[in-house]
Amino acid sequence: MAMIRFIKDNSYLIFKMMVNQLGMMMFGMVLSMATYSDDRLHIATSVFAVGFYMVLLYMMCWEYGQKERVKVDHGRLPYMPLKGLYMSLCANVVNILLAILTIVGFVFITDMANKQPLWAYRLYDSARFFALMIQAMFIGLVNLHRSMNNGDINPLVFVLIILPALSASTLGYFLGLKDVRLLGLLGLGKKSGDKEDKR
């Protein structure tokens, strides 16, 4: 019940995260198709797409956390430093499910070369295909892993590619809630509340 209420209360940002992934999926596909024949460029554009996606998530969650800061300070909202993580987990539920299905299928495969048993291979192959499709910004990096692993893809890769989004969302919301900018932590900026420079 508490989970349903949480999703309802934060549905706007959760939905926005999902829409952003859809947009980045299309962006990633375009970059992948345009650079597929050049391995180095293919990897570089994948890194760029992933980085751009992380920046979008971070900024979105920072602003959300910063807006909720006053309500939290005045006791109108409970203090939830990991709220960005919880929202990202909700937004990534399809990615997480596909990663689990990929692993389950892989575990039950007894003969990869002959695709046996067939149901396990089909589960693994289908889940892997859709996981990579909806997270197309990672295609170049996954292909790099494939080339370094004799053409195979470790199914744990599909768990690992979810982690950057979870991390960016968690950090963004937490720093927004604290009203601290990332550049400020690196000594390159100031808190957004400083009078001299709010950016």
Side-chain angles (χ1 to χ4, degrees), residues 115-131:
K115 304 178 182 179
Q116 295 297 322
L118 189 57
W119 71 265
Y121 180 82
R122 285 179 175 173
L123 176 63
Y124 162 74
D125 194 49
S126 299
R128 180 184 64 173
F129 172 80
F130 286 111

Side-chain angles (χ1 to χ4, degrees), residues 21 45-46 78:
Q21 180 178 331
T45 54
S46 183

Side-chain angles (χ1 to χ4, degrees), residues 36-173:
Y36 194 78
S37 59
D38 187 323
D39 290 342
R40 291 184 179 179
L41 191 57
H42 188 52
I43 294 169
T45 54
S46 183
V47 171
F48 170 75
V50 171
F52 185 52
Y53 179 43
M54 295 307 105
V55 170
L56 287 178
L57 285 177
Y58 171 84
M59 292 177 62
M60 184 193 316
C61 291
W62 191 96
E63 291 178 0
Y64 196 76
Q66 205 273 339
K67 287 178 181 178
E68 290 197 335
R69 183 176 64 90
V70 176
K71 294 180 180 179
V72 172
D73 288 346
H74 289 82
R76 295 199 299 272
L77 277 178
Y79 177 63
M80 295 179 64
L82 295 179
K83 191 173 184 177
L85 173 62
Y86 303 147
M87 290 187 292
S88 187
L89 284 170
C90 292
N92 280 278
V93 66
V94 174
N95 299 329
I96 294 170
L97 178 61
L98 288 172
I100 292 172
L101 291 176
T102 301
I103 294 171
V104 170
F106 181 82
V107 166
F108 282 95
I109 294 175
T110 56
D111 186 349
M112 181 66 78
N114 294 310
K115 304 178 182 179
Q116 295 297 322
L118 189 57
W119 71 265
Y121 180 82
R122 285 179 175 173
L123 176 63
Y124 162 74
D125 194 49
S126 299
R128 180 184 64 173
F129 172 80
F130 286 111
L132 197 54
M133 182 69 66
I134 65 175
Q135 297 174 94
M137 47 280 189
F138 288 93
I139 288 177
L141 295 176
V142 173
N143 283 339
L144 174 62
H145 162 75
R146 190 203 303 261
S147 66
M148 296 172 65
N149 200 36
N150 298 319
D152 296 324
I153 299 178
N154 189 318
L156 292 179
V157 164
F158 296 99
V159 175
L160 294 178
I161 62 177
I162 299 172
L163 299 183
L166 300 181
S167 301
S169 302
T170 303
L171 182 64
Y173 181 83

Side-chain angles (χ1 to χ4, degrees), residues 9-59:
D9 291 343
N10 300 281
S11 58
Y12 173 74
L13 189 66
I14 293 172
F15 178 73
K16 196 173 179 181
M17 286 179 175
M18 297 173 74
V19 170
N20 269 352
Q21 180 178 331
L22 180 62
M24 290 307 301
M25 177 190 77
M26 301 302 295
F27 183 58
M29 283 183 181
V30 171
L31 289 180
S32 180
M33 289 187 291
T35 62
Y36 194 78
S37 59
D38 187 323
D39 290 342
R40 291 184 179 179
L41 191 57
H42 188 52
I43 294 169
T45 54
S46 183
V47 171
F48 170 75
V50 171
F52 185 52
Y53 179 43
M54 295 307 105
V55 170
L56 287 178
L57 285 177
Y58 171 84
M59 292 177 62

